[in-house]
Amino acid sequence: MKFFFSRCQRNGASIMLALSLMACTETKSGPTPTPVPPTPVAPTPTPVATNSEARDYAQYTELVWGDEFDGAAVDPTKWGYDLGNNNGWGNNELEYYTNSTENASLSGGNLVIQAKKQAQGGRDYTSARMLTKGKQDFKFGRVDVRAKMPKGQGIWPAIWMLGSDIDQNNWPKCGEIDMMELRGQEPSKILSTMHYPDAAGAHLYKGVSNITLPNSASFADDFHLFSVVRSQNQMRFFLDGTLYYTFSSSDASIYPFNNPFFLVLNVAVGGDFLGSPDANTVFPQQMTVDYVRYYQYK
């Protein structure tokens, strides 16, 4: 009886399993639901960089950053210094740069960068090279520097910019914008030059020279306003509000000038660009800066 009962249990279980499988495989009838297509997702637009559009010079009215040099001392939150000679800074220059007030100081609401005939660091001259690196970057917008230049054989004042990524992309890959340079022996002429790399990273440059004032007046006699307006793929250079040069991405196969840059102000002495001072060069020589301002449009 025990064996029979157990066998019956097994037979009953088989019947129940078969019925269960039949229920599981039963095909249900009814309308097939229409699939709902997914809602299309619009692509995220590429953000437009601030002030990337080229506007008229006068439309840059929003002051973003500046220094009027009205305090008692150079503002360390805005300016740092390159120090020493660094093997002539790539140009066989003769000066030794310091952060001394003898070479950079404020006077009468102006910044005075002064080159002196003064021995230091194995060099016969001292001067200052001030920069906004790590403190203020400039991208699109208008940078104004109002300044009066020094003069004399071997005196080399400059207002210029370097790519803020210079520590990751060495020069010339980072790019260099020379807003204004002057050979002291030719104080009635300025030049503007862009430095950039070719595909192999070698140095290329392009710019303009022999930019003069009316009646060939000297840039050492009075203050003048030097400006660059940077927009996407274009830079425009102005003297006292008048356009004198435009440089665009069509001028360079590799164009690093859409990146942030920092500003440099300095007075070099000697070097390959203009030669050494001579017996007629008077020291000290000063570049006097009234203000630096960075504008954007609304």
Side-chain angles (χ1 to χ4, degrees), residues 182-257:
L182 179 144
R183 291 180 172 95
Q185 57 265 41
E186 299 178 320
S188 63
K189 300 176 183 179
I190 62 167
L191 61 153
S192 298
T193 311
M194 270 46 66
H195 302 264
Y196 50 94
D198 66 10
H203 174 220
L204 298 175
Y205 65 93
K206 186 175 182 179
V208 291
S209 58
N210 300 326
I211 305 303
T212 61
L213 294 165
N215 302 316
S216 296
S218 172
F219 286 92
D221 289 342
D222 204 352
F223 287 88
H224 293 278
L225 184 61
F226 307 95
S227 306
V228 60
V229 177
R230 295 174 61 209
S231 47
Q232 186 78 33
N233 295 328
Q234 186 189 78
M235 294 182 287
R236 290 170 288 161
F237 295 81
F238 297 80
L239 173 60
D240 294 328
T242 299
L243 177 69
Y244 66 87
Y245 183 54
T246 300
F247 182 91
S248 70
S249 55
S250 63
D251 292 304
S253 58
I254 295 178
Y255 187 88
F257 304 110

Side-chain angles (χ1 to χ4, degrees), residues 39 61 68 73 75-76 85 89 101 105 107 110 123 173 182 184-185 201 203 218 235 244 254 257 264 280 282 286 288:
T39 302
T61 58
E68 302 295 318
D75 187 343
N85 183 268
W89 302 99
T101 54
S105 62
S107 177
N110 297 319
R123 303 288 168 168
K173 295 177 183 178
L182 179 144
Q185 57 265 41
H203 174 220
S218 172
M235 294 182 287
Y244 66 87
I254 295 178
F257 304 110
V264 186
N280 296 317
V282 176
Q286 301 173 339
T288 307

Side-chain angles (χ1 to χ4, degrees), residues 113 143-149 156-161 176-182 191-193 224-228 237 262-267 287-289 291-292:
I113 297 179
V143 175
D144 289 354
V145 181
R146 186 173 185 266
K148 183 167 67 172
M149 295 297 115
W156 180 9
I159 300 168
W160 52 300
M161 308 177 84
E176 176 180 328
I177 305 167
D178 295 332
M179 290 175 58
M180 188 288 311
E181 293 181 284
L182 179 144
L191 61 153
S192 298
T193 311
H224 293 278
L225 184 61
F226 307 95
S227 306
V228 60
F237 295 81
F262 60 86
L263 183 66
V264 186
L265 306 174
N266 73 291
V267 178
M287 178 166 73
T288 307
V289 183
Y291 59 76
V292 177

Side-chain angles (χ1 to χ4, degrees), residues 52-103:
S52 61
E53 180 185 343
R55 297 279 185 90
D56 290 340
Y57 181 93
Q59 289 186 266
Y60 295 83
T61 58
E62 302 300 301
L63 183 64
V64 177
W65 183 91
D67 199 339
E68 302 295 318
F69 304 113
D70 290 331
V74 173
D75 187 343
T77 68
K78 295 180 177 181
W79 300 97
Y81 297 84
D82 276 333
L83 302 175
N85 183 268
N86 195 23
N87 295 317
W89 302 99
N91 304 294
N92 294 312
E93 298 168 29
L94 304 177
E95 79 288 330
Y96 188 92
Y97 285 128
T98 84
N99 58 4
S100 167
T101 54
E102 293 188 36
N103 298 116

Side-chain angles (χ1 to χ4, degrees), residues 13-31:
S14 298
I15 295 170
M16 292 299 294
L17 177 60
L19 292 173
S20 175
L21 289 173
M22 289 175 63
C24 290
T25 58
E26 181 181 0
T27 302
K28 297 180 183 285
S29 62

